Amino acid sequence: MDPTPAQRNLHVFVCTTVGRHHCGGMGSERILLRLRDELERRGLTHVRTTRMGCNQQHHQGPILIVYPDGVWYGNLRVEDVDELIDEHLIGGRPVEHLRITPDGEWASTALT
Ligand code: FES
């Protein structure tokens, strides 16, 4: 039997690179902390979170990537975290209005 979306192991990478024009300067640290707090509060142990460095997409930042789905999100706010959890990390449905398409050398890493 295939696992339900809530049972899939997911890995969320949040860019926290520091700098005025980088994700860390646009609130990504607060997004990561809110995400971690909410995952713990809900007992969602199937989701791991990791800080990541710059992917040259900060013009669309703050960014976050969900693997193994290869879905990139951008222009995120702390207020978006609940929707990401409910829809994607639990429901298995990417949140289309928050998705971005990475450009440059990273474009091929977006799987869906
Ligand atoms: S600092 Fe986040 S993509 Fe460059």
Side-chain angles (χ1 to χ4, degrees), residues 15 17 22-23 54-58 63:
C15 179
T17 301
H22 292 75
C23 295
C54 178
N55 288 295
Q56 302 300 320
Q57 303 299 316
H58 36 271
I63 69 164

Side-chain angles (χ1 to χ4, degrees), residues 16-29 62:
T16 56
T17 301
V18 175
R20 185 170 166 222
H21 299 294
H22 292 75
C23 295
M26 293 185 266
S28 65
E29 192 68 37

Side-chain angles (χ1 to χ4, degrees), residues 3-10 43-47 85 88-92:
T4 64
Q7 294 173 317
R8 292 186 310 135
N9 290 325
L10 298 171
L44 299 175
T45 57
H46 69 290
V47 183
I85 292 173
H88 193 157
L89 305 182
I90 294 175

